[in-house]
Amino acid sequence: MRHLHHIAIVVAALASGACHHRPIGHFGDGAFYHSHGHYRIRYGDGPDLLSERWELTNYTTDAAGRPDREIRRDLALDSSRVAGRGRSRPFRVPAADLVYRQRDGSAEIWARTLVLPAAWDGDHASTASVLHGWARVLADGHDEAGPPNANLQGAILANFGEAVIDGLPAHWVELDVVRDDHLERVTLVGVRPGGHRWRWGRRRSVPMLLVFGFSSTPGAHDEVRRDFERFVARVDIRPRG
Amino acid sequence: MRAALAFLLVLAGGSLAARAEEAPPPDPDGFDTTEAFLGADRPTGPWRLDDGLGVEQVPWDDFDPSLGYFPRGDVHLGLEGRLSGLFMDSLQTDMRPQLEVHGFVHIRYASRSPWHLRLGLVVGWEPHQTTYLGGGTLVTTSAVYVRARLLALAFDLGSNAALRVGPDLGIQIAPSPDGARVLFSGAGLAHLAFHTDDGRFEAGVHGGFQLTGVARVERPNTGFPFSDSSGVTYVPDPVLGVTAGYLF
C-alpha cells in the first residue's frame, strides 16, 4: 500500500504541470463527445446532460442556451515525466471535461479525464489503487487533485466500493472534505476507459482514468446522488475496434 | 465548530502524510480502517451506473462541426452542372459556350481533414465548328466530349468553401461530313466552390484550359470519300465558367 502514497504524489505533481489546445469535446446531436474519443455522455430526456437545476460552468452558452465555447482551465504536464521517456516538452490537459453546479445550491457534478503516468499501464495499477491514490492526494489537501477549483483543507475517507460504468469495472470512494471551512461530502467514481490512451505528438500516449464525481453538503448528498447516477448511467465508453 | 472540524481533518491528513514518510505504514490510505469502522454497513454489491444502452442502440456519431468538414460522412455521390465560355476559340471565331454535366464521387480522407478527392465522369457539349479551307480540305472541332475528371488536389478553405484542382482525360467527338472523328480530350481545371452550411448544395467558379481537337479532313475530288489525312491539332482553349451542384 505504500506505493499508493507515491502514486498520489506523482498525480499531484502531474496535475500541476502544461500544452495542447485540442478542444475538450463537443456537444453533438445526441451526446457530449470527448475530443479524444474515449467516451460520450448521451443527453437525457431533453438536449441536456442534466436537468435545468444544473448549470454547466466550464462552457459559455449561445443565445439558445446551448453550450458554446469552453471556459478553459488547463493543467500543464511534462511529457517526459508522464511518458517516462523522451525529451521534456510541455503539454496541456483540461482540468475537467464537464463541471456542473447546482443553481439553487452549492453541489457540483463533474466529469474528468485524468492523465496517468506510463508506468501505470496494465495491471501494475488497478482502477481501485489509482483512485485510492487520487483520494489520498485529496486527503493530503492537494488542490489540483480534487474537484475543479476546490480549495481543500482536508479530507477523510468515509466509504468505498466497486462500481460498474457502461459494463466496465469501476471503483468509487466517498470522502468527507473540508473546503472553504465548509464540510462537504465528495464521491468519486473511477473507470479505466477500455484500452483508450491519452495521445499527443506522433507516437506518445499514456493511460488515463475517467473520473466522475459529485460534491454536496452531507445532508444533500443522497438527493444529488440521484442526478449523478442518471448522469453517469448514460456514459458510453467507446468500444475499441 | 467548522474551523475546529477543518483543523481536525487537516491534522488527520497531515498525520497521514507524515506517517506515509515512515516505512512501513500499516494502512496509509485509511481503507482498512474505514472498512473495519463501517463493518456491516459496507456496500456488498457493485454500484451499477449503467442504463443498459450503448453503441449498439445509439450509434457513435462524433462529428464535431467546429473541427469537421461538410458534408458529413466519408463518401458522397454528387451531380453538378457547368456553364462555361471558351474564350480564345480554336478556330479564331467568337467565344463559344460550353455545357457539361459532372457526376462524381466525393471522398473525404478523414472527417477532420480538409483534404478530399473528387473522381467523376463529365459529359459536355460545345458548338461544333467546321471551316472549309479550300482545295477539298476542311477542319472540324469537337461537339461533345466524355472525360474522366480527377480533382486530386482538393481541400476545404474554412467551413464554407473548397478549392479543387485536377486533370480531365477522355475523348471528344468531332463531326465531319462522313461521320465523326473520335479524338483524345484533355483539360486542366481549378474549381472554387462555396457551399451551404450542411455542405450539400454548392456553387462556384471554375477555370483552366482544355485541349480542343481540330481534325483536318480532306476530299481531293468530288465523289471520293473524305479522309483524315493530316491528323489532328490540339489547341489549348482557356475555359472560364460557373458551376452548381448537389451532393447526396
Side-chain angles (χ1 to χ4, degrees), chain B residues 173-202:
Chain B
I173 299 172
S176 68
D178 63 339
R181 295 287 185 270
V182 178
L183 313 172
F184 162 80
S185 179
L189 294 169
H191 181 213
L192 176 63
F194 300 91
H195 57 75
T196 51
D197 284 346
D198 64 358
R200 295 289 186 179
F201 177 77
E202 63 178 37

PDB file of all heavy atoms in Angstrom, chain B residues 173-202:
ATOM      1  N   ILE B 173     -15.568  14.128 -79.643  1.00  0.00           N
ATOM      2  CA  ILE B 173     -16.061  13.657 -80.946  1.00  0.00           C
ATOM      3  C   ILE B 173     -16.281  14.864 -81.854  1.00  0.00           C
ATOM      4  O   ILE B 173     -17.038  15.780 -81.531  1.00  0.00           O
ATOM      5  CB  ILE B 173     -17.374  12.871 -80.773  1.00  0.00           C
ATOM      6  CG1 ILE B 173     -17.108  11.653 -79.873  1.00  0.00           C
ATOM      7  CG2 ILE B 173     -17.918  12.433 -82.135  1.00  0.00           C
ATOM      8  CD1 ILE B 173     -18.350  10.924 -79.470  1.00  0.00           C
ATOM      9  N   ALA B 174     -15.571  14.847 -82.978  1.00  0.00           N
ATOM     10  CA  ALA B 174     -15.658  15.948 -83.939  1.00  0.00           C
ATOM     11  C   ALA B 174     -16.426  15.475 -85.170  1.00  0.00           C
ATOM     12  O   ALA B 174     -15.948  14.604 -85.911  1.00  0.00           O
ATOM     13  CB  ALA B 174     -14.256  16.396 -84.340  1.00  0.00           C
ATOM     14  N   PRO B 175     -17.624  15.995 -85.386  1.00  0.00           N
ATOM     15  CA  PRO B 175     -18.397  15.590 -86.574  1.00  0.00           C
ATOM     16  C   PRO B 175     -17.676  16.003 -87.860  1.00  0.00           C
ATOM     17  O   PRO B 175     -17.015  17.051 -87.915  1.00  0.00           O
ATOM     18  CB  PRO B 175     -19.705  16.353 -86.421  1.00  0.00           C
ATOM     19  CG  PRO B 175     -19.775  16.764 -85.001  1.00  0.00           C
ATOM     20  CD  PRO B 175     -18.353  16.961 -84.570  1.00  0.00           C
ATOM     21  N   SER B 176     -17.807  15.199 -88.841  1.00  0.00           N
ATOM     22  CA  SER B 176     -17.256  15.546 -90.150  1.00  0.00           C
ATOM     23  C   SER B 176     -18.230  15.039 -91.206  1.00  0.00           C
ATOM     24  O   SER B 176     -19.147  14.278 -90.884  1.00  0.00           O
ATOM     25  CB  SER B 176     -15.863  14.922 -90.338  1.00  0.00           C
ATOM     26  OG  SER B 176     -15.961  13.526 -90.418  1.00  0.00           O
ATOM     27  N   PRO B 177     -18.088  15.458 -92.431  1.00  0.00           N
ATOM     28  CA  PRO B 177     -19.084  15.099 -93.440  1.00  0.00           C
ATOM     29  C   PRO B 177     -19.297  13.596 -93.585  1.00  0.00           C
ATOM     30  O   PRO B 177     -20.381  13.161 -93.982  1.00  0.00           O
ATOM     31  CB  PRO B 177     -18.497  15.696 -94.728  1.00  0.00           C
ATOM     32  CG  PRO B 177     -17.677  16.840 -94.247  1.00  0.00           C
ATOM     33  CD  PRO B 177     -17.094  16.404 -92.953  1.00  0.00           C
ATOM     34  N   ASP B 178     -18.323  12.804 -93.255  1.00  0.00           N
ATOM     35  CA  ASP B 178     -18.506  11.357 -93.430  1.00  0.00           C
ATOM     36  C   ASP B 178     -18.799  10.650 -92.104  1.00  0.00           C
ATOM     37  O   ASP B 178     -18.669   9.448 -92.009  1.00  0.00           O
ATOM     38  CB  ASP B 178     -17.259  10.750 -94.067  1.00  0.00           C
ATOM     39  CG  ASP B 178     -16.049  10.913 -93.189  1.00  0.00           C
ATOM     40  OD1 ASP B 178     -16.090  11.823 -92.307  1.00  0.00           O
ATOM     41  OD2 ASP B 178     -15.091  10.149 -93.319  1.00  0.00           O
ATOM     42  N   GLY B 179     -19.125  11.397 -91.092  1.00  0.00           N
ATOM     43  CA  GLY B 179     -19.416  10.730 -89.811  1.00  0.00           C
ATOM     44  C   GLY B 179     -18.845  11.529 -88.667  1.00  0.00           C
ATOM     45  O   GLY B 179     -19.250  12.657 -88.421  1.00  0.00           O
ATOM     46  N   ALA B 180     -17.890  10.952 -87.979  1.00  0.00           N
ATOM     47  CA  ALA B 180     -17.320  11.649 -86.819  1.00  0.00           C
ATOM     48  C   ALA B 180     -15.901  11.169 -86.575  1.00  0.00           C
ATOM     49  O   ALA B 180     -15.551  10.038 -86.895  1.00  0.00           O
ATOM     50  CB  ALA B 180     -18.171  11.408 -85.589  1.00  0.00           C
ATOM     51  N   ARG B 181     -15.106  12.066 -86.056  1.00  0.00           N
ATOM     52  CA  ARG B 181     -13.752  11.710 -85.649  1.00  0.00           C
ATOM     53  C   ARG B 181     -13.719  11.621 -84.117  1.00  0.00           C
ATOM     54  O   ARG B 181     -14.184  12.544 -83.432  1.00  0.00           O
ATOM     55  CB  ARG B 181     -12.758  12.784 -86.089  1.00  0.00           C
ATOM     56  CG  ARG B 181     -12.643  12.923 -87.597  1.00  0.00           C
ATOM     57  CD  ARG B 181     -11.874  11.720 -88.181  1.00  0.00           C
ATOM     58  NE  ARG B 181     -11.647  11.895 -89.607  1.00  0.00           N
ATOM     59  CZ  ARG B 181     -12.504  11.461 -90.538  1.00  0.00           C
ATOM     60  NH1 ARG B 181     -13.630  10.851 -90.179  1.00  0.00           N
ATOM     61  NH2 ARG B 181     -12.233  11.659 -91.819  1.00  0.00           N
ATOM     62  N   VAL B 182     -13.194  10.575 -83.607  1.00  0.00           N
ATOM     63  CA  VAL B 182     -13.043  10.412 -82.164  1.00  0.00           C
ATOM     64  C   VAL B 182     -11.609  10.788 -81.796  1.00  0.00           C
ATOM     65  O   VAL B 182     -10.651  10.171 -82.285  1.00  0.00           O
ATOM     66  CB  VAL B 182     -13.360   8.976 -81.722  1.00  0.00           C
ATOM     67  CG1 VAL B 182     -13.150   8.825 -80.218  1.00  0.00           C
ATOM     68  CG2 VAL B 182     -14.790   8.615 -82.094  1.00  0.00           C
ATOM     69  N   LEU B 183     -11.479  11.794 -80.972  1.00  0.00           N
ATOM     70  CA  LEU B 183     -10.171  12.341 -80.644  1.00  0.00           C
ATOM     71  C   LEU B 183      -9.912  12.260 -79.151  1.00  0.00           C
ATOM     72  O   LEU B 183     -10.845  12.171 -78.346  1.00  0.00           O
ATOM     73  CB  LEU B 183     -10.088  13.813 -81.089  1.00  0.00           C
ATOM     74  CG  LEU B 183     -10.581  14.137 -82.498  1.00  0.00           C
ATOM     75  CD1 LEU B 183     -10.607  15.651 -82.700  1.00  0.00           C
ATOM     76  CD2 LEU B 183      -9.698  13.471 -83.542  1.00  0.00           C
ATOM     77  N   PHE B 184      -8.671  12.340 -78.816  1.00  0.00           N
ATOM     78  CA  PHE B 184      -8.291  12.440 -77.407  1.00  0.00           C
ATOM     79  C   PHE B 184      -8.807  13.766 -76.839  1.00  0.00           C
ATOM     80  O   PHE B 184      -8.876  14.779 -77.545  1.00  0.00           O
ATOM     81  CB  PHE B 184      -6.768  12.367 -77.287  1.00  0.00           C
ATOM     82  CG  PHE B 184      -6.243  12.871 -75.968  1.00  0.00           C
ATOM     83  CD1 PHE B 184      -6.275  12.065 -74.837  1.00  0.00           C
ATOM     84  CD2 PHE B 184      -5.736  14.168 -75.845  1.00  0.00           C
ATOM     85  CE1 PHE B 184      -5.793  12.535 -73.629  1.00  0.00           C
ATOM     86  CE2 PHE B 184      -5.258  14.647 -74.646  1.00  0.00           C
ATOM     87  CZ  PHE B 184      -5.285  13.826 -73.535  1.00  0.00           C
ATOM     88  N   SER B 185      -9.189  13.765 -75.572  1.00  0.00           N
ATOM     89  CA  SER B 185      -9.631  15.008 -74.935  1.00  0.00           C
ATOM     90  C   SER B 185      -8.965  15.146 -73.572  1.00  0.00           C
ATOM     91  O   SER B 185      -8.933  14.197 -72.787  1.00  0.00           O
ATOM     92  CB  SER B 185     -11.157  15.007 -74.778  1.00  0.00           C
ATOM     93  OG  SER B 185     -11.581  16.187 -74.149  1.00  0.00           O
ATOM     94  N   GLY B 186      -8.467  16.326 -73.314  1.00  0.00           N
ATOM     95  CA  GLY B 186      -7.824  16.559 -72.013  1.00  0.00           C
ATOM     96  C   GLY B 186      -8.079  17.970 -71.546  1.00  0.00           C
ATOM     97  O   GLY B 186      -8.377  18.866 -72.328  1.00  0.00           O
ATOM     98  N   ALA B 187      -7.991  18.167 -70.252  1.00  0.00           N
ATOM     99  CA  ALA B 187      -8.195  19.508 -69.692  1.00  0.00           C
ATOM    100  C   ALA B 187      -7.524  19.580 -68.330  1.00  0.00           C
ATOM    101  O   ALA B 187      -7.244  18.557 -67.698  1.00  0.00           O
ATOM    102  CB  ALA B 187      -9.681  19.820 -69.564  1.00  0.00           C
ATOM    103  N   GLY B 188      -7.263  20.800 -67.921  1.00  0.00           N
ATOM    104  CA  GLY B 188      -6.776  21.037 -66.573  1.00  0.00           C
ATOM    105  C   GLY B 188      -7.583  22.167 -65.976  1.00  0.00           C
ATOM    106  O   GLY B 188      -7.621  23.259 -66.532  1.00  0.00           O
ATOM    107  N   LEU B 189      -8.282  21.896 -64.856  1.00  0.00           N
ATOM    108  CA  LEU B 189      -9.220  22.874 -64.339  1.00  0.00           C
ATOM    109  C   LEU B 189      -9.029  23.096 -62.843  1.00  0.00           C
ATOM    110  O   LEU B 189      -8.644  22.184 -62.100  1.00  0.00           O
ATOM    111  CB  LEU B 189     -10.655  22.397 -64.575  1.00  0.00           C
ATOM    112  CG  LEU B 189     -11.108  22.309 -66.028  1.00  0.00           C
ATOM    113  CD1 LEU B 189     -12.431  21.565 -66.116  1.00  0.00           C
ATOM    114  CD2 LEU B 189     -11.243  23.695 -66.641  1.00  0.00           C
ATOM    115  N   ALA B 190      -9.321  24.310 -62.418  1.00  0.00           N
ATOM    116  CA  ALA B 190      -9.390  24.630 -60.994  1.00  0.00           C
ATOM    117  C   ALA B 190     -10.819  25.025 -60.677  1.00  0.00           C
ATOM    118  O   ALA B 190     -11.486  25.674 -61.493  1.00  0.00           O
ATOM    119  CB  ALA B 190      -8.440  25.767 -60.648  1.00  0.00           C
ATOM    120  N   HIS B 191     -11.289  24.628 -59.520  1.00  0.00           N
ATOM    121  CA  HIS B 191     -12.690  24.842 -59.160  1.00  0.00           C
ATOM    122  C   HIS B 191     -12.745  25.441 -57.763  1.00  0.00           C
ATOM    123  O   HIS B 191     -12.271  24.845 -56.799  1.00  0.00           O
ATOM    124  CB  HIS B 191     -13.413  23.480 -59.202  1.00  0.00           C
ATOM    125  CG  HIS B 191     -14.867  23.558 -58.875  1.00  0.00           C
ATOM    126  ND1 HIS B 191     -15.537  22.546 -58.228  1.00  0.00           N
ATOM    127  CD2 HIS B 191     -15.792  24.517 -59.125  1.00  0.00           C
ATOM    128  CE1 HIS B 191     -16.807  22.897 -58.074  1.00  0.00           C
ATOM    129  NE2 HIS B 191     -16.983  24.078 -58.621  1.00  0.00           N
ATOM    130  N   LEU B 192     -13.313  26.616 -57.671  1.00  0.00           N
ATOM    131  CA  LEU B 192     -13.514  27.241 -56.364  1.00  0.00           C
ATOM    132  C   LEU B 192     -15.010  27.216 -56.078  1.00  0.00           C
ATOM    133  O   LEU B 192     -15.797  27.820 -56.805  1.00  0.00           O
ATOM    134  CB  LEU B 192     -13.006  28.690 -56.367  1.00  0.00           C
ATOM    135  CG  LEU B 192     -13.236  29.492 -55.081  1.00  0.00           C
ATOM    136  CD1 LEU B 192     -12.478  28.868 -53.913  1.00  0.00           C
ATOM    137  CD2 LEU B 192     -12.807  30.948 -55.274  1.00  0.00           C
ATOM    138  N   ALA B 193     -15.381  26.480 -55.036  1.00  0.00           N
ATOM    139  CA  ALA B 193     -16.801  26.276 -54.758  1.00  0.00           C
ATOM    140  C   ALA B 193     -17.150  26.788 -53.368  1.00  0.00           C
ATOM    141  O   ALA B 193     -16.354  26.687 -52.433  1.00  0.00           O
ATOM    142  CB  ALA B 193     -17.155  24.795 -54.863  1.00  0.00           C
ATOM    143  N   PHE B 194     -18.349  27.320 -53.260  1.00  0.00           N
ATOM    144  CA  PHE B 194     -18.882  27.769 -51.968  1.00  0.00           C
ATOM    145  C   PHE B 194     -20.121  26.926 -51.684  1.00  0.00           C
ATOM    146  O   PHE B 194     -20.948  26.723 -52.578  1.00  0.00           O
ATOM    147  CB  PHE B 194     -19.248  29.253 -52.034  1.00  0.00           C
ATOM    148  CG  PHE B 194     -18.071  30.122 -52.355  1.00  0.00           C
ATOM    149  CD1 PHE B 194     -17.764  30.435 -53.680  1.00  0.00           C
ATOM    150  CD2 PHE B 194     -17.249  30.603 -51.346  1.00  0.00           C
ATOM    151  CE1 PHE B 194     -16.662  31.218 -53.985  1.00  0.00           C
ATOM    152  CE2 PHE B 194     -16.147  31.391 -51.653  1.00  0.00           C
ATOM    153  CZ  PHE B 194     -15.844  31.693 -52.972  1.00  0.00           C
ATOM    154  N   HIS B 195     -20.218  26.443 -50.470  1.00  0.00           N
ATOM    155  CA  HIS B 195     -21.345  25.561 -50.196  1.00  0.00           C
ATOM    156  C   HIS B 195     -22.145  26.008 -48.984  1.00  0.00           C
ATOM    157  O   HIS B 195     -21.679  26.798 -48.150  1.00  0.00           O
ATOM    158  CB  HIS B 195     -20.889  24.106 -50.062  1.00  0.00           C
ATOM    159  CG  HIS B 195     -19.865  23.863 -49.016  1.00  0.00           C
ATOM    160  ND1 HIS B 195     -20.148  23.855 -47.675  1.00  0.00           N
ATOM    161  CD2 HIS B 195     -18.538  23.601 -49.112  1.00  0.00           C
ATOM    162  CE1 HIS B 195     -19.058  23.597 -46.995  1.00  0.00           C
ATOM    163  NE2 HIS B 195     -18.051  23.455 -47.825  1.00  0.00           N
ATOM    164  N   THR B 196     -23.335  25.465 -48.886  1.00  0.00           N
ATOM    165  CA  THR B 196     -24.225  25.785 -47.764  1.00  0.00           C
ATOM    166  C   THR B 196     -23.667  25.164 -46.487  1.00  0.00           C
ATOM    167  O   THR B 196     -22.731  24.360 -46.521  1.00  0.00           O
ATOM    168  CB  THR B 196     -25.637  25.237 -48.039  1.00  0.00           C
ATOM    169  OG1 THR B 196     -25.521  23.857 -48.406  1.00  0.00           O
ATOM    170  CG2 THR B 196     -26.294  26.004 -49.161  1.00  0.00           C
ATOM    171  N   ASP B 197     -24.304  25.503 -45.368  1.00  0.00           N
ATOM    172  CA  ASP B 197     -23.764  25.078 -44.078  1.00  0.00           C
ATOM    173  C   ASP B 197     -23.693  23.566 -43.932  1.00  0.00           C
ATOM    174  O   ASP B 197     -22.834  23.048 -43.227  1.00  0.00           O
ATOM    175  CB  ASP B 197     -24.624  25.657 -42.946  1.00  0.00           C
ATOM    176  CG  ASP B 197     -24.327  27.141 -42.756  1.00  0.00           C
ATOM    177  OD1 ASP B 197     -23.311  27.618 -43.291  1.00  0.00           O
ATOM    178  OD2 ASP B 197     -25.125  27.818 -42.093  1.00  0.00           O
ATOM    179  N   ASP B 198     -24.611  22.858 -44.565  1.00  0.00           N
ATOM    180  CA  ASP B 198     -24.538  21.405 -44.448  1.00  0.00           C
ATOM    181  C   ASP B 198     -23.706  20.779 -45.559  1.00  0.00           C
ATOM    182  O   ASP B 198     -23.547  19.563 -45.613  1.00  0.00           O
ATOM    183  CB  ASP B 198     -25.945  20.790 -44.443  1.00  0.00           C
ATOM    184  CG  ASP B 198     -26.683  21.029 -45.760  1.00  0.00           C
ATOM    185  OD1 ASP B 198     -26.131  21.704 -46.653  1.00  0.00           O
ATOM    186  OD2 ASP B 198     -27.816  20.549 -45.890  1.00  0.00           O
ATOM    187  N   GLY B 199     -23.171  21.608 -46.447  1.00  0.00           N
ATOM    188  CA  GLY B 199     -22.266  21.113 -47.478  1.00  0.00           C
ATOM    189  C   GLY B 199     -22.940  20.436 -48.642  1.00  0.00           C
ATOM    190  O   GLY B 199     -22.263  19.899 -49.523  1.00  0.00           O
ATOM    191  N   ARG B 200     -24.260  20.439 -48.687  1.00  0.00           N
ATOM    192  CA  ARG B 200     -24.959  19.688 -49.743  1.00  0.00           C
ATOM    193  C   ARG B 200     -24.994  20.455 -51.065  1.00  0.00           C
ATOM    194  O   ARG B 200     -24.725  19.904 -52.115  1.00  0.00           O
ATOM    195  CB  ARG B 200     -26.395  19.372 -49.293  1.00  0.00           C
ATOM    196  CG  ARG B 200     -26.463  18.447 -48.091  1.00  0.00           C
ATOM    197  CD  ARG B 200     -26.045  17.043 -48.479  1.00  0.00           C
ATOM    198  NE  ARG B 200     -26.228  16.105 -47.377  1.00  0.00           N
ATOM    199  CZ  ARG B 200     -25.955  14.823 -47.464  1.00  0.00           C
ATOM    200  NH1 ARG B 200     -25.495  14.316 -48.597  1.00  0.00           N
ATOM    201  NH2 ARG B 200     -26.119  14.037 -46.433  1.00  0.00           N
ATOM    202  N   PHE B 201     -25.389  21.695 -50.993  1.00  0.00           N
ATOM    203  CA  PHE B 201     -25.501  22.474 -52.222  1.00  0.00           C
ATOM    204  C   PHE B 201     -24.283  23.374 -52.370  1.00  0.00           C
ATOM    205  O   PHE B 201     -23.855  23.998 -51.398  1.00  0.00           O
ATOM    206  CB  PHE B 201     -26.765  23.324 -52.191  1.00  0.00           C
ATOM    207  CG  PHE B 201     -26.911  24.201 -53.399  1.00  0.00           C
ATOM    208  CD1 PHE B 201     -27.333  23.670 -54.613  1.00  0.00           C
ATOM    209  CD2 PHE B 201     -26.598  25.549 -53.342  1.00  0.00           C
ATOM    210  CE1 PHE B 201     -27.447  24.478 -55.740  1.00  0.00           C
ATOM    211  CE2 PHE B 201     -26.714  26.356 -54.464  1.00  0.00           C
ATOM    212  CZ  PHE B 201     -27.132  25.816 -55.662  1.00  0.00           C
ATOM    213  N   GLU B 202     -23.740  23.409 -53.545  1.00  0.00           N
ATOM    214  CA  GLU B 202     -22.588  24.273 -53.741  1.00  0.00           C
ATOM    215  C   GLU B 202     -22.647  24.965 -55.094  1.00  0.00           C
ATOM    216  O   GLU B 202     -23.211  24.456 -56.059  1.00  0.00           O
ATOM    217  CB  GLU B 202     -21.274  23.502 -53.583  1.00  0.00           C
ATOM    218  CG  GLU B 202     -21.038  22.406 -54.584  1.00  0.00           C
ATOM    219  CD  GLU B 202     -19.689  21.735 -54.378  1.00  0.00           C
ATOM    220  OE1 GLU B 202     -19.268  21.574 -53.219  1.00  0.00           O
ATOM    221  OE2 GLU B 202     -19.054  21.369 -55.388  1.00  0.00           O
TER     222      GLU B 202
END
